[in-house]
Amino acid sequence: DTSWLTVSVTNSSLGYFTINAGANGSTSSRNANITYTISTQFGYQHSFTFNFQQNGVALDSTPNQFTYGSESSANLGQTYTKSQTLSGMNTTATAVYSGDANGTFSIDNSTFNQSNKTVQNGTVLYLRIPASGSFSTARSAAVTVSGISSTMTVTTQAQDTDVNDFDSFQDETGALTNTISTSNPVTVNGFNGTLTASFSTNGVSGFKVGSGSFSTSSKSITNGQTITMFIRSSTQNSTTTTSTVTVGNKSGTFNVTTTSGGGGGEGGGLE
């Protein structure tokens, strides 16, 4: 195929002619044999044949810089996938994964792994990282092609420990001495993840999270769970026993005050 080549005679009497060739965008050279024949009025004829060669462009396996970018405030455990299309190459190259052990990449958005892959101009490289299950934790992975590299970082959101106010336990007054009083359950919310509920009291008391057991030990609590406290009232009249649960930066208090006279006596307490 010599459609890429045109020849024109500029001065036939002197044997001048011009060869025009379009740019060769391939990496292969192309050749054409050109025959020029001279004929005179005396019947003399002579032909000249020569070879015209146009070199191709140099092989270039280095892509233009590509950038995956990052994810901040990522949801815990969520998988994030980003893609980049390779450009600026005219031959194949090898794409190499590096970074977090949980990350993978793909050239078809279907089969994801960490194995090297053969790529070319126009290949779409998909990079996938599952976010950590812990707060404020970063995972990074990179793909490198012929020395050109891009890193993707997924950083999970910070934990919100700013608990909504939950100091809505209904105090009890006029309780009989040495009897068990149980608070209303109060819902704790406004945070994410798991926090620790700690307890303090100046008497015989305990608390529970949800349907758990009463005790004085610290307990794990998640958003939306309830806290319930119990207090064994004082053996003395007109005496207040106070119990407090603290979660994050907020606390809730339950008070039981004994009557000014009379008595009681009831079993029960910590399990």
Side-chain angles (χ1 to χ4, degrees):
D1 179 14
T2 58
S3 59
W4 54 277
L5 189 66
T6 60
V7 178
S8 61
V9 176
T10 56
N11 190 325
S12 59
S13 62
L14 296 177
Y16 295 156
F17 60 92
T18 302
I19 299 174
N20 296 301
N24 184 4
S26 74
T27 58
S28 301
S29 62
R30 50 192 182 185
N31 296 269
N33 289 321
I34 299 174
T35 300
Y36 182 71
T37 301
I38 300 174
S39 298
T40 70
Q41 59 181 335
F42 304 108
Y44 176 79
Q45 190 178 67
H46 187 75
S47 297
F48 301 90
T49 300
F50 62 93
N51 178 264
F52 178 80
Q53 176 176 308
Q54 185 184 42
N55 293 327
V57 296
L59 293 176
D60 184 2
S61 63
T62 303
N64 296 328
Q65 181 65 59
F66 54 99
T67 304
Y68 284 109
S70 299
E71 288 286 344
S72 58
S73 298
N75 295 323
L76 271 62
Q78 182 174 329
T79 296
Y80 292 84
T81 303
K82 292 182 178 290
S83 64
Q84 285 289 293
T85 302
L86 297 179
S87 63
M89 308 164 62
N90 60 23
T91 189
T92 60
T94 300
V96 179
Y97 174 91
S98 61
D100 192 272
N102 298 282
T104 53
F105 79 131
S106 171
I107 57 174
D108 60 7
N109 201 24
S110 176
T111 303
F112 282 82
N113 52 46
Q114 296 181 2
S115 301
N116 292 353
K117 294 168 177 47
T118 300
V119 296
Q120 60 187 3
N121 203 62
T123 295
V124 181
L125 281 170
Y126 301 87
L127 183 55
R128 175 173 292 178
I129 301 176
S132 171
S134 301
F135 291 104
S136 301
T137 301
R139 287 178 173 175
S140 297
V143 175
T144 302
V145 180
S146 299
I148 302 299
S149 181
S150 178
T151 298
M152 172 181 171
T153 300
V154 175
T155 304
T156 51
Q157 60 188 296
Q159 185 173 17
D160 179 5
T161 60
D162 187 13
V163 179
N164 293 337
D165 180 66
F166 65 95
D167 192 14
S168 55
F169 296 97
Q170 297 171 8
D171 295 339
E172 183 176 343
T173 59
L176 297 178
T177 58
N178 197 31
T179 58
I180 297 294
S181 296
T182 303
S183 75
N184 57 301
V186 174
T187 300
V188 183
N189 53 32
F191 64 100
N192 56 17
T194 301
L195 294 179
T196 298
S198 59
F199 182 74
S200 63
T201 184
N202 65 347
V204 178
S205 182
F207 82 111
K208 68 177 182 177
V209 173
S211 59
S213 300
F214 285 104
S215 74
T216 58
S217 301
S218 296
K219 299 171 177 59
S220 295
I221 186 170
T222 57
N223 191 67
Q225 287 191 295
T226 60
I227 287 177
T228 307
M229 289 187 270
F230 87 87
I231 290 177
R232 176 180 288 278
S233 62
S234 173
T235 59
Q236 303 297 316
N237 292 327
S238 302
T239 302
T240 300
T241 303
T242 300
S243 295
T244 301
V245 173
T246 300
V247 180
N249 59 348
K250 298 293 194 305
S251 296
T253 298
F254 178 45
N255 297 294
V256 174
T257 303
T258 54
T259 182
S260 58
E266 181 180 345
L270 300 180
E271 297 179 3

